[in-house]
Structures are given as C-alpha cells and as structure tokens.
Amino acid sequence: MRAAACLAALALTAAVPAWAQEPAHPESIQIGLSTDRVAITANFAGADLTIFGALENADPLINRQGRYDVYVVLEGPARPVVVRRKSRVLGMWINTQSETFVNVPMSYSVATTRQPQDITDPNNYRQLSLGASNIYMEPEDKRDSPLTIQEFTDALRERKQAIGLYSDNVGGVQFLSQSLFRATLHLAPNVPVGTHKARAFLFRNGLFIKETSAQLAIVKSGFEQTIYRFATDHGFGYGLFAIGLAMLTGWLGRIVFRKD
Amino acid sequence: MGIYLPIAEMSVNVFVLLAMGAAVGFLSGMFGVGGGFLITPLLIFYNIPPAIAVATGANQVIASSFSGALAHLKRGTLDFKLGTVLLAGGIAGSAAGAFVFALLRAIGQLDLFISLLYVVFLGTVGGLMLIESVNALRLTKGGVPPALKKSGQHNWIHRLPFKMRFRTSKLFVSVIPVLGIGAGIGFLSAIMGVGGGFIMVPALIYLLKVPTNVVVGTSLFQIVVVSAFTTLVHSSTNQTVDIVLALVLMVGGVAGAQYGAKAGQKLRGEQLRALLALLVLAVALRLGFDLFVKPQNLYSLTAVSGLL
C-alpha cells in the first residue's frame, strides 16, 4: 500500500519562501494520501501505509537544527469492546470480571520522528489526547471504582498492542527535504474495516503548533466484501449457500477420489 | 501464503488450514468419523475465535458426512424412518443449542462452556472406548473370539411407551429415547460444532440396540441434516459461518479422507478403536489442560455483538 507523493502541498511551500521568516505566518502542516481507500484482498497480511506531508512556512534555522517534530496517528473506527478478566474458580480459569467500554478505537498506529518523550512532555500529549495511553476510553458503567476501570483500561491497551492493532513506529516519520516528510504506519493483518482518520501533529521545540487530518477508508475488496455483506444481510441465504457448497464438495470428493 | 477470512476478519496461512483439513480428513477417513470434534479444537488452538470455529466446524462436517451418507444410501444401510425421528429431536436440540450459544457468548462464558463440553464428552467417550478396545485386544490375543452381543436382550429403554416400528433396523422401540438422543446430539452440534457421530454411534448401538450395519449410515444421515440446520441457525442468528475457512478445510479434508480410508483398511477394528480412543483422549486432555493451567494472559477482548 505504498502511497505516492502528494506534491501539491510542496508546491505551495515553494511558492512562498519569502514569507517564511515572518512570524505573522506561522508554520503549518499538510498531509496527503495517494488513495482514500485501502482494499483488503484475499492475500492481505498486513501492510505499511505511507503518508506524505509537508511543512509550510518552516523556519530554515529551526529546520536545520532538526527541531521540528511530526507525530502521525492513524486511528481506526471506534466500537464498543468488552474486556474480561479470568480468575481461578474451582481450579479452572474462568472469565469472572468484565468491563465494557463504549468507544474504543479498534486500531491506533503511530509514527513519529523521534521517541515520543523527546518530542514534547507528557502533559502536552495528555491535553491533545495523543498517544495510545492518552485515549479516553469511556466505561459503560461509570459507577465502577476508578481503580477497576484503570486496571481494565490498561489491560485493553496492552492486549491491543500485543495483537498489533495499537502500534508505534518511532522514526517512522522521516524528512525527505527541508519541508517534505514521509510517515510509515503499520497496518496489522487484522486491521478493522471502516473509516480511519489520519492526523498529523507538528511540534516546534516541543511546542504544539498545528494539526491536520485526512480520512482513509479501509474496505474489504470485492470478493471478501461480497461474502461479508451476504453473510450479514442475508444470513439465511448465506447459510443455505454454505450448506450447498459443503454438499457439493463432499459429492465431488467422492467422484474425484473414489475409483471403485 | 496468507488468505483473508472475510467473516473471522483475519489473515491466516492457507497451507496450515489445508494441512489441518487434510490431517483431520485422514483421521476421519481412517476411523469413519466426521471429524468435527477434531477440527473445532484445532481451529481454536489456531486462534480462530471459538464462535466462528464452532459454526464453521458444523459447516465443514456436512461435506464429509454427506459423502459418507451417499455411500450408505447406495448400499441400503440407511434407516430413513429412524433417521427422521432422530432428526425431529435433533432440530429442536440444535435450535435450543444455538440460543444457549448466543446467550453464553453475550455473558462471556462461551469459550469455557465449549471447552468443558469437549473435556467431559471426549473424556468419557474416549475413556470408555479405550477400555472396551483394550479388553477386546486382550481377548483376541488370548485366542478367545470376542463375545457376540445377544440379540433380544432388553433394557429399561425398551419398556417405555409410544412404541414405533423401524423396519430397516428391525426395531420396535419407544420414540422417547430416539427423540432424546436426537435432541441431545443436536444441542451438542450447535454448541460444539460437531456432527456428534462419536456419541450417536455408541448411543444407537448400546442404548437402542440398532444393528451395527445400519448405525453408521443412519447416524451420518442425521448428522448431515442436523449440521446443515446448525449452519443455517448460526449463519442467520450469529453470522459466524466463515465460508472461505470452511471451503479450505473441506478441500483438505476430502483429499485426506481418501488416504485415511485406505490406511484404515490395513488395521483391525479393535486397533482402530484403541487409536481413535487415544486421539479423542488427547484432545480432551489438551483442552482440559488449558482450563486448569494459568493462562498467559488473564485479560481478553471481545467486540460487543449486536445480539441480546
């Protein structure tokens, strides 16, 4: 899923170099996706998504010192999730406690120029609700003790990271020139389908300057999508089809292999 | 080579699945069982969500059982009347099973319940079979021919009311135990994703005294229809049948079954039963082990389904 450069933003920067020094025109950031749709095909096994972007009105001095930082996030659609905890009952490990969260981003991949703690301090991340540890996950039952909610929130994040849906790519944003950068984000093999939101945050000397965003639709490709739609919209017909297919396979198997 | 499963929404290795299907097909051809009780746990070990493993397992069972049932139909070793009464119970049991399945899924105890059922049933059936076949092996070694079952020997089941005559099976028996066996197996089919042959065959032989030659064909007939019904119920209520997954397994399974059948002809009945018993026990132990050993991760995530 290599995206080609969106150079429109770059052209803009080139056109206005004279203004760059003026404080009246603060820096800003643009990103472009070569495609607004990523199709998951039969042999999809995860992919790297490349997002190109550009800084506008960048101060060449700061740029040379490498003190512009970019933090890119691709956030998947939010869905409700139940987190369950096992404990020992009669010697067996059984799901006992659970906590439902109403709006959990299904995926959250990050690419940054440097280690997040070197870009800006944790307070800023918190204010921007940026980074997997700063996403607010709203519990369905707010009467539960904050300690329990915290425990399950941490577990949820840890599980998501373990299955690769929440990922960090430190150094995944690289400057190709003074103003042009490329961000590489990991899409897990089980990336959720739906509308994903790509956001890029620009920091100068650890100070948040500007944010920009773009939308990306991740869809199942033709065949997979057809099956999925058929299964969810016409469950009964789909079942009949599955049965017919199984019978056909069984019957064909007999014909192909039995020579007696 | 990866293949994307549209319902499970994950990418898996197609060769692993084919090998899995072929291995189970080989064993099912060798022992004459559907193989649902092997494929579902294998899929779960391979990280396919249990709900999808069960529903897809039921779908996959149709293929192998249908091909077997056709063979028995040709040979006339299929009691349609007995099969139909078993089915009446089976459909009711399967519907109840699918309801319980959705309920357990909503409260997060589905995985536990599936594992428990597997451990209990596979453990019991495997244990009994092992004892029986080892005894038979001992007897044949001692030169004594295995004792033939006396026909006409009646137990309490034959004293129940609502008797019905089944000509092909040469049986005059109450419909209550027939419906009961059918319902029980339908229930298990919906929750465990098995055809239930490994319970049906002993139940028909030992409880109803159905002649052995009719048992397998009749059981396969009932399995095809009940698995088909289970597939239908799961696909319309839980949407957990993954047709791509099922097809890959079926292709591997059909091919494996042919070689298994040939291998099976080289072994004696008691040896086959002893091996099958060991296999069944091994699956039960593996699942039981997972229940009692502290899991690597205490937490699990589930998407909230639209149901309930």
Side-chain angles (χ1 to χ4, degrees), chain A residues 42 44 95 151 159 220 238, chain B residues 4 9 11 109 241 297 299:
Chain A
F44 181 80
N95 286 332
E151 178 198 334
R159 290 315 302 149
K220 291 174 186 164
Y238 176 81
Chain B
Y4 186 78
E9 304 199 315
S11 183
Q109 301 300 354
V241 179
N297 208 296
Y299 299 93

Side-chain angles (χ1 to χ4, degrees), chain B residues 5 21 52 95 176 218 224 230:
Chain B
L5 306 177
I52 288 167
I176 297 172
T218 309
V224 169
T230 303

Side-chain angles (χ1 to χ4, degrees), chain A residues 90 149 152:
Chain A
L90 300 170
I149 292 175
F152 279 90

Side-chain angles (χ1 to χ4, degrees), chain A residues 40-46 79-88 90-96 100-101 106 151-152 155-156 158-160 163 189-191 193 220 223-225 227-228 231-232 234-243 245-254 257-258, chain B residues 1-7 9-12 59-60 62-64 66-68 70-71 74 104-109 111-112 116 224 227-229 231-232 235-236 239 241-244 247 250-251 254-259 261-262 290-295 297-304:
Chain A
I40 294 178
T41 52
N43 54 8
F44 181 80
R79 282 180 211 161
V81 164
V82 192
V83 184
R84 293 200 166 89
R85 200 187 112 91
K86 282 192 168 71
S87 48
R88 201 159 202 162
L90 300 170
M92 289 182 296
W93 290 91
I94 292 175
N95 286 332
T96 45
T100 307
F101 294 93
M106 296 307 287
E151 178 198 334
F152 279 90
L156 170 56
E158 193 276 323
R159 290 315 302 149
K160 285 279 191 189
I163 50 181
N190 48 355
V191 66
V193 293
K220 291 174 186 164
F223 176 63
E224 281 70 28
Q225 174 66 5
I227 291 180
Y228 181 78
T232 36
H234 310 280
F236 191 79
Y238 176 81
L240 286 180
F241 181 71
I243 295 165
L245 191 69
M247 288 188 165
L248 187 72
T249 318
W251 180 70
L252 277 178
R254 243 178 88 68
F257 289 100
R258 294 264 162 92
Chain B
M1 196 180 91
I3 185 168
Y4 186 78
L5 306 177
I7 305 297
E9 304 199 315
M10 59 196 290
S11 183
V12 290
N59 188 15
Q60 186 267 341
I62 301 173
S64 50
F66 184 66
S67 119
L70 280 179
K74 231 174 194 174
L104 288 168
R105 198 178 171 199
I107 61 168
Q109 301 300 354
D111 307 10
L112 168 75
L116 276 179
V224 169
S227 311
F229 183 74
T231 307
L232 209 53
S235 70
S236 45
Q239 275 114 37
V241 179
D242 197 306
I243 207 164
V244 174
L247 189 64
M250 283 188 274
V251 169
V254 164
Q258 312 306 323
Y259 296 100
K262 273 177 205 139
D290 284 350
L291 277 181
F292 288 98
V293 168
K294 187 175 180 171
N297 208 296
L298 292 179
Y299 299 93
S300 60
L301 308 182
T302 340
V304 179

Side-chain angles (χ1 to χ4, degrees), chain B:
Chain B
M1 196 180 91
I3 185 168
Y4 186 78
L5 306 177
I7 305 297
E9 304 199 315
M10 59 196 290
S11 183
V12 290
N13 189 318
V14 68
F15 296 115
V16 171
L17 287 183
L18 276 176
M20 222 184 256
V24 173
F26 183 82
L27 294 169
S28 73
M30 194 157 147
F31 301 122
V33 291
F37 73 95
L38 291 172
I39 208 87
T40 310
L42 274 179
L43 290 178
I44 294 173
F45 297 152
Y46 193 48
N47 286 328
I48 306 280
I52 288 167
V54 165
T56 309
N59 188 15
Q60 186 267 341
V61 162
I62 301 173
S64 50
S65 307
F66 184 66
S67 119
L70 280 179
H72 283 276
L73 186 65
K74 231 174 194 174
R75 272 182 255 153
T77 48
L78 200 166
D79 187 337
F80 266 114
K81 194 171 172 191
L82 181 63
T84 312
V85 179
L86 281 170
L87 265 182
I91 301 276
S94 171
F99 176 74
V100 172
F101 185 92
L103 192 77
L104 288 168
R105 198 178 171 199
I107 61 168
Q109 301 300 354
L110 180 64
D111 307 10
L112 168 75
F113 201 68
I114 291 175
S115 295
L116 276 179
L117 279 180
Y118 266 103
V119 170
V120 169
F121 278 95
L122 295 182
T124 314
V125 172
L128 290 175
M129 256 170 48
L130 189 67
I131 295 168
E132 186 267 340
S133 54
V134 167
N135 280 340
L137 279 173
R138 269 226 205 100
L139 280 174
T140 42
K141 227 172 219 166
V144 186
L148 286 166
K149 216 144 261 134
K150 286 173 208 134
S151 60
Q153 203 175 40
H154 282 212
N155 53 18
W156 61 272
I157 282 169
H158 293 255
R159 287 194 291 275
L160 291 169
F162 306 112
K163 290 206 170 192
M164 200 182 231
R165 192 170 296 282
F166 300 104
R167 284 189 199 287
T168 321
S169 309
K170 301 187 189 71
L171 213 62
F172 185 58
V173 73
S174 159
V175 291
I176 297 172
V178 182
L179 285 175
I181 291 172
I185 288 167
F187 185 80
L188 295 179
S189 167
I191 294 187
M192 298 165 71
V194 297
F198 70 101
I199 300 169
M200 173 79 90
V201 172
L204 290 183
I205 294 177
Y206 297 115
L207 295 178
L208 297 184
K209 314 271 186 222
V210 178
T212 322
N213 62 333
V214 205
V215 164
V216 177
T218 309
S219 141
L220 282 175
F221 166 68
Q222 123 96 14
I223 287 168
V224 169
V225 184
V226 169
S227 311
F229 183 74
T230 303
T231 307
L232 209 53
V233 169
H234 276 304
S235 70
S236 45
T237 59
N238 299 320
Q239 275 114 37
T240 42
V241 179
D242 197 306
I243 207 164
V244 174
L245 177 60
L247 189 64
V248 176
L249 291 174
M250 283 188 274
V251 169
V254 164
Q258 312 306 323
Y259 296 100
K262 273 177 205 139
Q265 283 160 3
K266 292 190 185 118
L267 288 168
R268 285 217 313 279
E270 302 90 67
Q271 292 173 329
L272 266 181
R273 284 206 299 277
L275 283 177
L276 179 59
L278 285 176
L279 182 74
V280 168
L281 280 178
V283 176
L285 280 177
R286 172 67 168 78
L287 282 165
F289 187 72
D290 284 350
L291 277 181
F292 288 98
V293 168
K294 187 175 180 171
Q296 273 192 329
N297 208 296
L298 292 179
Y299 299 93
S300 60
L301 308 182
T302 340
V304 179
S305 62
L307 286 155
L308 295 164

Side-chain angles (χ1 to χ4, degrees), chain A residues 101-121:
Chain A
F101 294 93
V102 291
N103 59 340
V104 179
M106 296 307 287
S107 64
Y108 198 90
S109 19
V110 170
T112 50
T113 41
R114 284 188 283 172
Q115 289 287 350
Q117 67 264 30
D118 298 336
I119 296 177
T120 185
D121 62 287

